[in-house]
Amino acid sequence: MQEYKLFIDGEWIESSNGETFDDFNPATLELIARLHKASEDDVRRAADSAEDAFDAWSSTPAPRRAKILFRAARILEERKEELARLMTTEMGKVLKEARGDVQEAIDITYYAAGEGRRLLGETTPSELPDKFCLTVRRPIGVVGLITPWNFPIAIPAWKIMPALISGNTLVFKPASDTPLLSIELVKILTDAGLPRSVLNLVTGEGSAVGGAIVKNRKIRAVSFTGSLETGKWILGEAARDMKRVSLELGGKNPIIVMDDADMDLAIDGVLWGAFGTTGQRCTAASRVIVHEKILPLFQKRLIEKTELLNIGNGLDENVDIGPVINNTQLQKIARYIEIGKEEGAKLVQGGKIIKPLPGYFIEPALFSDVTPDMRIAQEEIFGPVTSLISACDFDEAIKIANSVEYGLSSSIYTKNITNAFRAIEKIEAGITYINAPTIGSEIHLPFGGVKSTGNGTREAGTTAVEEFTELKTAYFDYSGKLQKAQIDTG
Ligand code: NAP
């Protein structure tokens, strides 16, 4: 079994306290790797090392930084299948989704590399003669990155690549359930020529290692994706040092199915949106709001199709639903299924833990007779559980969609163009899909949510570098005399 160390100051080193933790395959419960658990002192060294590297890296012209990213993207492409298999083994998602996860990392790496020749500022006329006004993007400094387990390479790449092209140096902590893909990503960037100390990797427990990143005063910004609870803690803690924070948190994403929808299309969308990645997506469709006129038939046909989903080890190409990530998550999902029943919802399909399989498997669960105020309709479950909620018309469907604290993704199935555009306007969410499920973002568009899903930043797309740069405004006066703005303007 392989042991993995921390990557600090360009060297793979053991943690200073000698502590380790184990990494398991959630489908078989086999031990697959042992990792070093960083101490507070290790995090301090990682931040010091990133700080030392900052001057040289931020002074390297961005198109030159981009060359390293282009090389990294090509290595990712060459290693795509191997990385996807490693991901399925470590995280459990089925192979075709793991390939998609790696592809997302490839796409964002090329996209961020392209930014090396943009990093656009603006120029604008001055109110005074012989004066020039412009803005330039500057890196922030040392940035801390903390990522979850559900997209083991895509989310790290979404943060690392825009942060690097912008000229920052990094301290990166991946989720303890899926550190291996992050380790491979660091190796790939090193092989691509990333200079020593620009990227430092510390693995280990969230509150200890992640907490030390958030509290370190050399780290000027933290980019975090994970749960609302952790995000709130980070925001509060970072406020003490006026640290810049970007948060991508949970979701309770609705699919609205109107009475004029293409029912087969909507059912396929719900199956993919609710049960893809075993429901472990921040954009998973955990509420399906259906027009009351079509609800009985929709429910019957959805049950029939859910029954056909194959559950098992994601390395088997015929499997649709892999395991959930760990036992804590499995028990949390099982507990929510009990809560749903206690609240009076009807479990009409699935929901049982699958015992003969060694891993963390649970049947996709479908609840009917769910009311919007129930906990299963309000709280993020992060598993293969979805709730059918009845709505009498479009306005009620929108009201139900907006009745939760989150606002990440959303969807409507309808042939009515007016309702489609109204949904874009009215649903409180960062993303709205028309006639497609709540999952499936593309890397060249901004990604993020409203309300408790985040604090307003957007990752990916043209906004990707905003998270990792400061805008500086420059005024260049070549008149050779003192000119006073607002006063000498005639
Ligand atoms: P989590 O428990 O909040 O963990 C996320 C990361 O934070 C992990 O690396 C974790 O380390 C670390 N962490 C835990 N406690 C910390 C602390 N006190 N200080 C600093 N770091 C800490 O979330 P998760 O269960 O891994 O991920 C699932 C959540 O992520 C869901 O709510 C999901 O909706 C959300 N998510 C959101 C998006 C989005 O873009 N909006 C995308 C994907 C997932 P350990 O792994 O060592 O605990």
Side-chain angles (χ1 to χ4, degrees):
M1 194 222 353
Q2 200 143 358
E3 193 169 298
Y4 293 91
K5 299 177 183 169
L6 316 173
F7 190 64
I8 299 176
D9 201 10
E11 308 276 349
W12 293 95
I13 59 163
E14 296 184 0
S15 66
S16 57
N17 57 20
E19 287 182 27
T20 58
F21 65 101
D22 293 336
D23 187 12
F24 294 93
N25 178 335
T28 62
L29 306 193
E30 280 162 335
L31 181 61
I32 52 176
R34 182 152 290 153
L35 293 112
H36 280 254
K37 212 187 241 186
S39 66
E40 213 174 297
D41 203 40
D42 295 324
V43 174
R44 199 174 307 119
R45 288 180 55 202
D48 290 348
S49 142
E51 190 187 51
D52 290 346
F54 179 71
D55 263 356
W57 181 243
S58 58
S59 315
T60 304
R64 246 186 255 170
R65 295 197 290 258
K67 284 188 178 171
I68 298 169
L69 267 58
F70 277 121
R71 277 199 291 275
R74 288 193 288 270
I75 302 173
L76 278 164
E77 278 178 326
E78 283 158 20
R79 296 186 55 191
K80 178 174 172 180
E81 186 62 20
E82 169 217 339
L83 293 170
R85 287 183 176 272
L86 178 64
M87 188 184 306
T88 298
T89 307
E90 186 185 40
M91 185 269 168
K93 68 171 66 175
V94 300
L95 208 41
K96 53 180 171 293
E97 290 188 36
R99 290 185 189 117
D101 198 315
V102 181
Q103 187 58 47
E104 210 168 309
I106 295 167
D107 294 343
I108 193 76
T109 307
Y110 276 123
Y111 186 84
E115 271 301 321
R117 288 191 182 269
R118 286 189 294 268
L119 284 178
L120 299 176
E122 55 188 327
T123 60
T124 178
S126 168
E127 62 187 43
L128 292 161
D130 297 331
K131 193 176 170 192
F132 194 81
C133 309
L134 69 152
T135 63
V136 288
R137 289 198 175 276
R138 298 295 306 145
I140 296 171
V142 180
V143 175
L145 311 175
I146 304 173
T147 56
W149 45 263
N150 65 334
F151 279 84
I153 200 163
I155 292 180
W158 272 37
K159 295 186 189 299
I160 290 172
M161 303 308 171
L164 286 179
I165 201 68
S166 302
N168 302 283
T169 54
L170 310 176
V171 178
F172 165 41
K173 186 209 119 43
S176 299
D177 281 308
T178 56
L180 294 190
L181 270 295
S182 293
I183 288 170
E184 293 309 318
L185 191 56
V186 169
K187 287 189 199 162
I188 286 168
L189 278 158
T190 308
D191 291 347
L194 192 70
R196 185 185 178 106
S197 307
V198 169
L199 172 58
N200 300 271
L201 172 97
V202 281
T203 46
E205 207 178 305
S207 53
V209 181
I213 289 177
V214 175
K215 288 178 184 166
N216 188 295
R217 301 195 81 167
K218 289 191 172 167
I219 296 178
R220 305 266 296 272
V222 174
S223 175
F224 171 79
T225 300
S227 63
L228 174 58
E229 195 190 0
T230 312
K232 278 184 178 170
W233 180 83
I234 290 175
L235 193 59
E237 198 58 36
R240 292 171 198 272
D241 292 331
M242 294 295 285
K243 203 167 278 191
R244 199 159 142 177
V245 178
S246 58
L247 303 172
E248 295 290 344
L249 310 175
K252 192 70 191 170
N253 314 291
I255 290 182
I256 295 173
V257 186
M258 294 303 294
D259 53 347
D260 63 348
D262 176 333
M263 195 180 284
D264 289 330
L265 186 68
I267 287 170
D268 284 347
V270 169
L271 289 172
W272 176 226
F275 304 135
T277 327
T278 319
Q280 303 170 114
R281 286 195 186 219
C282 48
T283 52
S286 49
R287 296 179 296 150
V288 185
I289 303 162
V290 187
H291 195 290
E292 62 184 10
K293 263 202 242 163
I294 60 161
L295 181 55
L297 181 60
F298 186 87
Q299 179 175 323
K300 179 174 168 292
R301 288 171 59 182
L302 182 60
I303 292 171
E304 284 163 8
K305 278 210 150 175
T306 306
E307 277 169 355
L308 300 177
L309 295 172
N310 282 328
I311 305 163
N313 190 325
L315 287 175
D316 177 342
E317 300 270 8
N318 296 317
V319 161
D320 302 299
I321 311 262
V324 299
I325 188 70
N326 56 34
N327 192 41
T328 308
Q329 198 56 29
L330 184 71
Q331 297 310 326
K332 179 182 162 195
I333 296 164
R335 177 72 197 120
Y336 266 109
I337 288 170
E338 288 313 306
I339 290 169
K341 290 193 235 167
E342 285 159 21
E343 286 179 309
K346 280 193 198 142
L347 182 65
V348 290
Q349 169 68 33
K352 284 197 218 67
I353 291 178
I354 302 172
K355 282 280 192 280
L357 292 174
Y360 306 122
F361 292 94
I362 187 161
E363 294 167 352
L366 188 61
F367 276 104
S368 74
D369 297 65
V370 178
T371 55
D373 56 325
M374 287 180 182
R375 284 184 64 191
I376 56 167
Q378 287 288 326
E379 297 170 21
E380 187 184 48
I381 301 172
F382 222 55
V385 182
T386 199
S387 293
L388 290 170
I389 305 172
S390 174
C392 64
D393 59 18
F394 175 81
D395 288 339
E396 193 186 30
I398 297 288
K399 198 168 154 210
I400 296 168
N402 291 342
S403 68
V404 295
E405 72 171 313
Y406 296 105
L408 181 51
S409 187
S410 58
S411 144
I412 184 166
Y413 282 82
T414 182
K415 290 183 188 138
N416 180 322
I417 293 172
T418 306
N419 282 345
F421 275 96
R422 281 203 185 126
I424 295 171
E425 281 172 18
K426 302 278 181 201
I427 300 179
E428 294 165 358
I431 305 163
T432 297
Y433 293 88
I434 313 298
N435 294 326
T438 50
I439 66 182
S441 58
E442 300 179 27
I443 63 91
H444 55 295
L445 285 121
F447 181 92
V450 303
K451 303 202 284 192
S452 292
T453 290
N455 61 343
T457 47
R458 293 288 182 271
E459 295 198 310
T462 48
T463 47
V465 293
E466 284 175 12
E467 190 184 345
F468 298 108
T469 51
E470 299 280 10
L471 264 190
K472 170 166 283 185
T473 303
Y475 297 97
F476 195 138
D477 191 325
Y478 54 98
S479 66
K481 59 182 184 207
L482 175 64
Q483 298 198 91
K484 298 180 195 134
Q486 293 92 42
I487 295 169
D488 297 338
T489 48

